[in-house]
Amino acid sequence: MRPTRLTPLLRLLILTQLAFNIGFFAVLPFLAEHLGQSVGMAGWLVGLVLGLRTFSQQGLFVAGGALADRYGIRPVVLTGCALRIAGFVWLGYARQTWAVIGAVLLIGFAAALFSPAVESEAARQAVLHEQAGGGPRTRVLALFTVAGQAGAFTGPLLGALLLSVDFRAVCLTGAAVFAVVLAAHARLLPQHVPGREPVPLAGGVRPLLRNRRFLGLCCAYGAYLLAYNQLYLALPAEVERTTGSQAPLAWLFALSSLLVVTAQLPVTRLVGERLSPRRATAAGLLLVAAAFTVVALGRGGASPLPATGFVVLLTAGQMLIAPAARAWVPDLAEPGRLGLYTGALSSVSGLIVLVGSAATGALLGSGLPPAVPWLVLAAVPLSAVRLLPRRSAVGVG
């Protein structure tokens, strides 16, 4: 059967993810330098501010998802966009520490509202699209991933261009992007999405904490995210060792984004649609483990090839894991609680990354033989395969 076209709501959600990342990544890459140089913050305070942003966003995803289940995605998304606009404008004018912290917390909390709402509805609509004969849900969620990565690639280019004016211009442009999203959703997002009935805020957390299959997926996904974050922790040190400079990092990051934008859909068609979510996630974790092994085995010389192989294999793993994990959550969620479970996946895995990153930093600076930290890191995604649930409930959260 020939796949049917995406519904208007699905197209809106996919374009929303693109716009979200353009607006966000136009600002975020330049925030640390702005805080250190223009605002004059000490290094530890810059790190604290960035950590608060992450906490206010990832840590509260579960709350935003629960609110989407209770009140529907329209009010939650519109409120989140309005708060993001206010946060970016505030950040553009903030010069005192308390003002910067307030703006950053508002920016993070805004995403904790709109992101789980959009992601959970995209996953639910992808399942309904699949059930209507429109093709595998992983294809839709791969499009969602590509849109996000394209935004993450385009946003910094836009921000770098505007930085020639000043950081305030960057923030105001980011706010303008979200203003366009807000206007589009106010006009196009239905007041009530068919099939999505409100559920009480209370009563959802306890079954979630007892859902061992879902928590297993959270832990495995957290192991993947911890490994993926080594693009920003372990990889820079390796590039510095082999090339004597961190300049090649920009090319490696661009390579990762380009691979996702150009190869995500073909990979999903060739592999993801032939494998169950569990097998696709397991295969992705094995590729991530192989990425670390390549560097461990190739650290004897000064060639940049192991680092390049690391980026390619890690990104290939990402292309299998990200759509498969999103496609899996609706089968593991309690009826009516897909927003809560989508948010919990990000919050729990984010907590794992927070704790694991500190341990990883200690490992990399431990003075062990150079290959050992990379082999230990390879064992993390390899071990996570055993955490994946072996069966799932059938439903549309």
Side-chain angles (χ1 to χ4, degrees):
M1 181 181 295
R2 186 175 181 178
T4 59
R5 297 180 63 184
L6 298 180
T7 63
L9 179 55
L10 264 176
R11 290 198 296 270
L12 176 64
L13 295 172
I14 290 170
L15 290 174
T16 296
Q17 183 70 357
L18 171 67
F20 279 169
N21 279 8
I22 289 175
F24 179 68
F25 284 100
V27 178
L28 182 67
F30 312 103
L31 178 58
E33 183 178 2
H34 168 72
L35 296 180
Q37 295 189 5
S38 300
V39 181
M41 286 185 174
W44 68 269
L45 189 54
V46 173
L48 175 63
V49 169
L50 296 179
L52 287 172
R53 186 209 64 79
T54 301
F55 173 77
S56 64
Q57 180 170 321
Q58 293 290 127
L60 296 178
F61 259 46
V62 63
L67 289 171
D69 290 336
R70 173 63 182 87
Y71 298 106
I73 65 169
R74 179 183 168 91
V76 175
V77 169
L78 294 182
T79 301
C81 287
L83 292 179
R84 176 57 66 85
I85 294 167
F88 274 162
V89 172
W90 189 4
L91 181 62
Y93 287 89
R95 286 296 179 268
Q96 295 178 302
T97 299
W98 68 267
V100 170
I101 290 176
V104 164
L105 288 175
L106 193 60
I107 289 169
F109 179 62
L113 291 178
F114 59 64
S115 284
V118 169
E119 289 178 14
S120 63
E121 189 57 36
R124 198 177 76 86
Q125 292 295 322
V127 173
L128 296 176
H129 185 72
E130 179 183 68
Q131 292 173 349
R137 68 184 77 172
T138 50
R139 181 182 301 167
V140 175
L141 296 171
L143 276 171
F144 192 82
T145 299
V146 170
Q149 195 65 45
F153 182 76
T154 306
L157 300 178
L158 175 63
L161 181 65
L162 293 166
L163 204 60
S164 61
V165 180
D166 59 15
F167 184 73
R168 181 175 299 169
V170 176
C171 290
L172 294 180
T173 301
V177 171
F178 277 88
V180 172
V181 175
L182 176 62
H185 280 75
R187 179 177 177 82
L188 300 174
L189 199 60
Q191 292 282 353
H192 174 70
V193 178
R196 186 160 192 163
E197 300 299 329
V199 296
L201 284 174
V205 174
R206 185 171 296 178
L208 185 152
L209 294 176
R210 292 176 177 173
N211 191 331
R212 294 184 178 180
R213 291 168 293 165
F214 175 71
L215 293 178
L217 175 61
C218 288
C219 291
Y221 194 74
Y224 148 69
L225 285 181
L226 177 61
Y228 187 80
N229 272 12
Q230 300 316 306
L231 280 173
Y232 313 104
L233 187 59
L235 181 63
E238 174 65 11
V239 169
E240 179 78 31
R241 184 190 72 83
T242 56
T243 68
S245 167
Q246 292 201 8
L249 278 176
W251 295 102
L252 291 174
F253 290 157
L255 172 63
S256 177
S257 295
L258 186 62
L259 283 172
V260 174
V261 171
T262 59
Q264 176 70 76
L265 294 179
V267 166
T268 302
R269 282 196 298 267
L270 291 173
V271 180
E273 295 177 4
R274 291 172 170 81
L275 300 177
S276 66
R278 185 185 192 281
R279 290 182 176 179
T281 305
L285 289 169
L286 293 176
L287 283 173
V288 172
F292 289 95
T293 305
V294 163
V295 179
L297 297 178
R299 280 186 61 97
S303 170
L305 288 179
T308 305
F310 170 78
V311 170
V312 171
L313 288 170
L314 188 69
T315 305
Q318 175 197 8
M319 288 190 283
L320 289 179
I321 294 169
R326 287 194 179 104
W328 203 349
V329 174
D331 291 338
L332 299 171
E334 297 290 326
R337 302 284 184 182
L338 183 55
L340 174 67
Y341 278 69
T342 300
L345 178 67
S346 293
S347 292
V348 173
S349 57
L351 180 61
I352 291 172
V353 172
L354 179 63
V355 175
S357 293
T360 301
L363 177 66
L364 293 171
S366 63
L368 292 169
V372 172
W374 289 86
L375 290 174
V376 173
L377 289 168
V380 173
L382 193 61
S383 302
V385 175
R386 298 179 60 85
L387 300 175
L388 295 173
R390 295 189 175 276
R391 61 186 182 90
S392 62
V394 177
V396 187

